[in-house]
Amino acid sequence: PLRSLEWVCMASAATAPAFLPRSKAPTASPLIPEGFIAKGIVSATEELAYLAHARYAKESAVVVLLTRTFYYVIDEQRAKLLAKMDVRMVTSLTPDDDDACVAVVTFKKRGTLGNKVNKGFQKLFRSGVDASEHLETERILFDSCVARQEFELMFDVVRREAWQHLFERSLIKEPEVYQHHFLITKLNRKNKMQERVFCFSESTIFNVKIDYSSSQVKVKAVKWGIAIVKIKGVSFIRKNSVALTIHFTESPDPKKGRVNDYKCLLFDDAEREAFVRELQRLYYHQTKEGLMMNME
């Protein structure tokens, strides 16, 4: 495993406001225990980022192994895979309120809302209800608080790099560089709820449909992309801390009609705050002006 000082340096680079270089493809690592590779639990082409001993669910001691693409929980004694997940399925990683040695992993449920008609979206949008019903959680008990902190720090770096690699390979062309992305629930012009990802490069916001159904997260379709300077402003709802409306000066997708306003729900108020902060940062970078905000 990498030492803490290296983790801190990598995390600082990943969270710095300055623009990052484009991602590079992962390389194989000789550090993954040979037994896991021999048993077919972990591919020999994976690159190890982190390994620690912990306790998972009701199981006895396990190994938590993190590569550049997947996160594994392995019963080392029986050489049995207990859990495997694409790191991009994880939406947050936080310490447990009651035990500082426990990491709470919150992840996206497999599948999507599809195009389910939901006439109650407008009520949901204004009611203060968030979109967290589409998430699940699990807990991992580490040997110490320090081990949990190291795991969280490394996980954040790996997850960002995995998303960056996916988006730069699929939709963000050079010389543009991935900046951030957010999972949102939106209402389309046919009154159907849709799960989407809003992805940002330095100058463009993309509306992306993600496929969560397979073992590895993929970009299913890019619905539209529009210059960040075409954002006219953002509106908030007083009674709902996770809702917002993005107002554009023109329709991001003219083929689908003249829809200039997009109503969105994020997973929690911290995500909404981060979303708005990132919009403000990128808008100012492009225009040297502040982004207009409005409370409804």
Side-chain angles (χ1 to χ4, degrees):
L2 302 174
R3 295 194 177 275
S4 300
L5 178 60
E6 293 175 306
W7 286 333
V8 171
C9 292
M10 291 176 70
S12 298
T15 57
F19 295 140
L20 301 174
R22 288 180 66 87
S23 67
K24 298 180 180 179
T27 57
S29 168
L31 300 177
I32 295 176
E34 292 183 3
F36 296 160
I37 296 175
K39 291 282 186 178
I41 298 174
V42 182
S43 169
T45 61
E46 288 282 339
E47 180 183 1
L48 181 69
Y50 178 86
L51 188 149
H53 294 274
R55 291 183 180 275
Y56 173 77
K58 296 181 180 180
E59 300 288 339
S60 56
V62 297
V63 168
V64 176
L65 189 149
L66 183 64
T67 71
R68 297 295 173 182
T69 309
F70 293 103
Y71 132 74
Y72 302 80
V73 180
I74 304 167
D75 184 325
E76 187 174 25
Q77 186 174 359
R78 293 182 292 170
K80 178 183 178 182
L81 179 65
L82 303 178
K84 177 184 177 182
M85 186 186 305
D86 188 317
V87 295
R88 289 164 291 212
M89 292 287 290
V90 177
T91 61
S92 68
L93 195 65
T94 57
D96 185 78
D97 292 335
D98 300 320
D99 189 341
C101 295
V102 173
V104 180
V105 184
T106 304
F107 54 95
K108 174 78 178 58
K109 291 180 180 178
R110 293 203 180 276
T112 65
L113 292 172
N115 285 326
K116 180 180 179 182
V117 174
N118 192 318
K119 295 182 179 180
F121 182 88
Q122 296 290 355
K123 182 178 179 180
L124 177 69
F125 185 75
R126 294 183 174 276
S127 66
V129 179
D130 61 26
S132 60
E133 64 182 82
H134 309 301
L135 303 177
E136 296 182 81
T137 61
E138 61 184 27
R139 286 166 168 75
I140 302 175
L141 174 62
F142 289 89
D143 293 338
S144 67
C145 177
V146 172
R148 190 220 80 226
Q149 290 174 328
E150 290 176 340
F151 172 69
E152 290 178 4
L153 185 59
M154 197 62 213
F155 199 105
D156 285 343
V157 174
V158 168
R159 180 177 54 181
R160 180 188 170 91
E161 289 179 346
W163 277 113
Q164 180 176 4
H165 181 67
L166 175 66
F167 287 133
E168 289 181 353
R169 186 184 62 203
S170 305
L171 56 106
I172 300 176
K173 306 305 180 185
E174 292 189 79
E176 290 281 289
V177 180
Y178 162 84
Q179 298 300 308
H180 215 312
H181 75 279
F182 295 88
L183 280 65
I184 59 109
T185 303
K186 63 179 282 289
L187 187 70
N188 73 358
R189 62 191 176 90
K190 295 181 180 179
N191 199 36
K192 295 178 180 179
M193 290 181 68
Q194 297 175 323
E195 289 181 325
R196 293 289 185 264
V197 168
F198 278 0
C199 172
F200 302 130
S201 68
E202 299 104 312
S203 64
T204 308
I205 176 172
F206 298 93
N207 176 5
V208 186
K209 187 174 183 180
I210 298 293
D211 181 3
Y212 298 100
S213 61
S214 60
S215 61
Q216 197 161 350
V217 172
K218 302 174 183 177
V219 171
K220 188 169 185 177
V222 181
K223 294 299 182 178
W224 49 255
I226 190 169
I228 288 172
V229 297
K230 296 294 181 72
I231 297 175
K232 184 165 60 175
V234 178
S235 297
F236 305 100
I237 303 298
R238 294 183 187 278
K239 294 183 179 180
N240 193 342
S241 63
V242 302
L244 58 80
T245 303
I246 306 174
H247 307 279
F248 294 95
T249 59
E250 62 185 55
S251 175
D253 189 0
K255 293 183 292 185
K256 296 292 181 68
R258 297 181 178 180
V259 180
N260 292 17
D261 302 328
Y262 280 77
K263 289 181 168 62
C264 309
L265 293 170
L266 287 100
F267 286 120
D268 56 40
D269 51 358
E271 273 288 281
R272 189 183 79 166
E273 182 180 346
F275 182 94
V276 173
R277 239 186 359 250
E278 189 66 5
L279 265 186
Q280 289 174 316
R281 181 178 78 90
L282 295 173
Y283 185 84
Y284 182 82
H285 173 76
Q286 293 294 322
T287 67
K288 300 300 185 264
E289 296 178 357
L291 183 61
M292 185 177 295
M293 303 286 170
N294 179 53
M295 183 69 73
E296 296 178 356

